Amino acid sequence: MAAALYFAAMNVTATPAAKSSVVLEVEVPQERLARAVDDAVRALSRRTKVAGFRPGKAPRPVLERVLGPGAVLDEAVDHLMQTAYREALVEKELLPLTNAEVEVVQAEEGKPLIFKATVQVRPEVGLGDYRDFNFRPEIETIDEPKVEKVVEELRDQNASLAPVEDRPAKKGDYTVIRMEGTREGVPFEGGTSERMPLIIGDDRLIPGFEDNLVGLGVGDKKGFEITFPADYMEAELAGKEVHFDVEVKELREKIMPDLDDEFARSMGDFSDLDNLRTEIKARLERNALDKARHEFADRIIEYAVANATLDLPDVLIDQEVEVMHDEFRASLARQGITEEAYLKVTNKTDADLHADLRPDAEKRVKVLLVLSKIAETEGIVVPEADVDAEVARGRQRYADDARLIRYFDSERGRNFIRSTLRRSRVVETLVDAWLLAHPDHPALPHVEDGPASAMDSPSAESSAAIDATDPGSVMEPDAHSPDHDHAHTHDHAHTSESADAAIADEPTPAG
């Protein structure tokens, strides 16, 4: 075995390729291939049953008669490429994000083994300017009409409904109707209801339907024709004329509370109407400052990303698409819609949905990588105690979901948390630095108390759902393996985040 120390060195060249890929061209000395062939004979002999030979004793010619003429060389080349590929990564200091695509150029006994390995690697982010921008925070002015708008919204939220007995229906009334829709005399799906609640004039149903209810009283019946819009989502009804028979079952009107001091006191600890208006204005002004801070942060991020240069590896975009897909699926579920039903109505496939999501996924990954690079440049570090606190918060928030808890407890999940907090803090650092340099500008405090939580990231659950590796975490200076993980951006800039756990766990060539 000591002879291995005297093998000639490998010849390795690394050529940058598109989409943050590198093409490694590796030439392994023929002596190492010869040694690998000897090792392959011993390995195959041990695990192949050959009549007349004890395990490990069958010679190469006999093995090749049993396994095929190329079996020994194939075994040797496969094992030698695995070893040589890992050595090449170390020599060129590359961090692979995926398994390599391998092309064997030369594999003949008596000659060097030559192969090419194309692998997606940690992207290089070239930062441009991210501090010397010429825009400022824009703070919304809170005037009397905006205060009165909130007052009216409060009155509307506290209104009561009273039966209408002395007039027919008009727009703004609350009604319950029975309806039956038919097309060419045949009822169609979704066109019949015994009790359909409506606010007349809200146009909840197809355009023009509610206009036919104006003027009717409780117990009144009416039949009418109406045409579905040409772009109606149910193709069989789009642009078609149908007939509806309706009956008004209930009719109520909204009674607004009087705008007086008593109303103000009913809203909380307010002495009178003027006190209520004063507090509303103060809250709107605080919200305006918080909104200005968030929008200013978003503009800084857009500026930084626009000035940066980077070539995105497909694996990170693919993963982000998967995260966004999971977010979309969860959004549909909150509305009581299954993904299957959505795809059927929109006449789309999973592939169509992924194609729709891909441009935004690419933007998200750019944001994540640029912010992570700025955090590295600015020397922003997240203490492990802060990560531990977030993990504890995740255990509490997702106590009933063992899968999510396992993710946040894992190194991958901790990297998600670390990267999310790091990005959030780099944005806050940039905002605060600008404010410090412009003391004449009003302070822009957060409405929220305390630092942003990684558990509040819109993609926290979705990242856990697909065991995603955070794009930004692969940029961190101590990222020593492709498992170094997936997190999402800060509370204002998070555009969305993700990817297809295709991040390689082991740097292995895949032929």
Side-chain angles (χ1 to χ4, degrees):
M1 295 299 291
L5 297 175
Y6 301 101
F7 286 152
M10 292 195 310
N11 182 23
V12 181
T13 60
T15 305
K19 297 185 177 181
S20 192
S21 295
V22 170
V23 179
L24 289 171
E25 298 184 53
V26 183
E27 181 177 323
V28 186
Q30 64 91 12
E31 295 89 354
R32 287 188 64 178
L33 178 56
R35 172 58 65 86
V37 168
D38 292 341
D39 292 342
V41 170
R42 285 191 291 271
L44 289 173
S45 181
R46 282 194 298 270
R47 67 175 189 258
T48 304
K49 291 183 178 180
V50 180
F53 293 91
R54 286 180 294 144
K57 299 300 182 180
R60 178 177 179 178
V62 174
L63 286 171
E64 290 186 329
R65 280 200 302 271
V66 174
L67 300 175
V72 170
L73 183 59
D74 288 347
E75 175 89 356
V77 168
D78 183 60
H79 281 273
L80 184 54
M81 277 200 312
Q82 300 279 352
T83 302
Y85 171 68
R86 287 192 288 269
E87 292 173 6
L89 290 176
V90 172
E91 178 180 328
K92 296 301 180 180
E93 298 181 338
L94 296 176
L95 178 71
L97 299 179
T98 61
N99 291 334
E101 295 180 4
V102 175
E103 174 192 353
V104 178
V105 178
Q106 177 176 283
E108 300 177 29
E109 292 186 67
K111 296 181 180 180
L113 169 65
I114 302 175
F115 66 92
K116 292 181 180 180
T118 302
V119 62
Q120 295 180 52
V121 297
R122 181 168 68 181
E124 292 294 328
V125 178
L127 291 179
D129 179 52
Y130 57 87
R131 284 183 175 273
D132 190 22
F133 40 83
N134 59 8
F135 50 84
R136 299 170 63 89
E138 296 179 1
I139 303 173
E140 178 186 4
T141 301
I142 305 302
D143 54 18
E144 185 178 342
K146 290 175 182 174
V147 173
E148 289 307 308
K149 182 174 182 292
V150 175
V151 171
E152 288 305 307
E153 288 171 353
L154 290 173
R155 291 182 69 208
D156 185 73
Q157 292 167 13
N158 288 273
S160 58
L161 293 178
V164 174
E165 299 173 345
D166 56 352
R167 63 168 177 80
K170 65 179 182 179
K171 289 192 175 182
D173 284 345
Y174 289 65
T175 184
V176 176
I177 64 170
R178 185 192 68 79
M179 68 177 190
E180 181 180 19
T182 57
R183 181 180 169 213
E184 298 178 351
V186 179
F188 56 86
E189 185 177 356
T192 298
S193 174
E194 286 300 315
R195 292 184 62 83
M196 170 67 73
L198 292 172
I199 301 175
I200 300 175
D202 271 12
D203 290 331
R204 175 184 168 189
L205 300 182
I206 57 177
F209 182 98
E210 291 163 27
D211 291 340
N212 285 281
L213 304 180
V214 174
L216 300 181
V218 176
D220 287 351
K221 299 178 181 180
K222 184 178 181 179
F224 54 89
E225 273 69 41
I226 197 165
T227 301
F228 278 88
D231 60 352
Y232 190 66
M233 57 184 173
E234 293 286 353
E236 57 270 25
L237 292 175
K240 301 297 192 299
E241 184 180 78
V242 298
H243 178 85
F244 276 101
D245 287 307
V246 300
E247 177 185 359
V248 176
K249 308 291 285 185
E250 296 178 17
L251 190 62
R252 298 174 183 272
E253 62 180 335
K254 183 184 294 185
I255 306 297
M256 301 280 278
D258 292 335
L259 185 57
D260 53 21
D261 292 343
E262 187 60 35
F263 167 72
R265 285 189 283 270
S266 72
M267 290 294 95
D269 189 20
F270 306 108
S271 58
D272 53 29
L273 196 54
D274 286 342
N275 183 211
L276 173 63
R277 289 187 171 113
T278 299
E279 181 57 31
I280 289 172
K281 184 176 183 181
R283 291 183 184 181
L284 290 177
E285 287 173 342
R286 289 196 297 272
N287 290 339
L289 292 176
D290 186 67
K291 180 183 177 185
R293 184 181 180 99
H294 281 258
E295 291 178 347
F296 184 51
D298 286 342
R299 292 190 69 184
I300 293 174
I301 292 167
E302 291 171 5
Y303 180 80
V305 171
N307 289 333
T309 56
L310 66 162
D311 199 8
L312 298 181
D314 281 335
V315 63
L316 296 184
I317 302 172
D318 293 342
Q319 178 181 270
E320 197 67 29
V321 168
E322 290 294 341
V323 169
M324 293 176 69
H325 188 177
D326 193 80
E327 292 171 2
F328 181 70
R329 192 182 294 117
S331 175
L332 289 176
R334 286 193 293 272
Q335 301 171 62
I337 304 170
T338 65
E339 183 179 12
E340 182 182 16
Y342 171 82
L343 293 176
K344 180 181 178 182
V345 167
T346 57
N347 196 30
K348 289 186 176 183
T349 64
D350 263 358
D352 295 330
L353 184 57
H354 279 203
D356 292 342
L357 294 173
R358 195 168 186 84
D360 284 338
E362 186 170 341
K363 291 177 185 176
R364 275 185 166 186
V365 174
K366 281 185 178 179
V367 168
L368 300 177
L369 294 178
V370 170
L371 288 180
S372 294
K373 185 65 176 180
I374 295 175
E376 178 186 333
T377 302
E378 296 288 328
I380 294 175
V381 177
V382 176
E384 285 304 299
D386 291 359
V387 179
D388 292 339
E390 286 296 302
V391 171
R393 188 175 286 114
R395 288 197 198 103
Q396 184 176 25
R397 173 178 256 184
Y398 303 110
D400 296 330
D401 194 323
R403 181 172 56 96
L404 287 180
I405 291 175
R406 280 196 305 272
Y407 176 77
F408 292 121
D409 275 338
S410 70
E411 188 59 28
R412 191 176 294 238
R414 290 178 66 85
N415 282 333
F416 166 85
I417 293 167
R418 185 180 297 107
S419 295
T420 301
L421 294 177
R422 195 165 178 241
R423 282 191 292 268
S424 177
R425 292 173 188 184
V426 74
V427 176
E428 300 307 330
T429 296
L430 296 178
V431 172
D432 290 338
W434 187 91
L435 290 170
L436 186 63
H438 297 79
D440 58 314
H441 194 279
L444 295 177
H446 276 298
V447 168
E448 301 94 344
D449 294 327
S453 168
M455 294 300 128
D456 294 331
S457 168
S459 56
E461 291 185 54
S462 294
S463 295
I466 69 165
D467 195 27
T469 295
D470 182 78
S473 68
V474 302
M475 299 297 298
E476 295 186 12
D478 61 343
H480 53 274
S481 82
D483 243 343
H484 206 72
D485 293 44
H486 178 242
H488 285 100
T489 184
H490 71 323
D491 48 346
H492 358 257
H494 182 270
T495 5
S496 164
E497 298 159 55
S498 62
D500 194 12
I503 306 298
D505 289 330
E506 295 291 338
T508 304

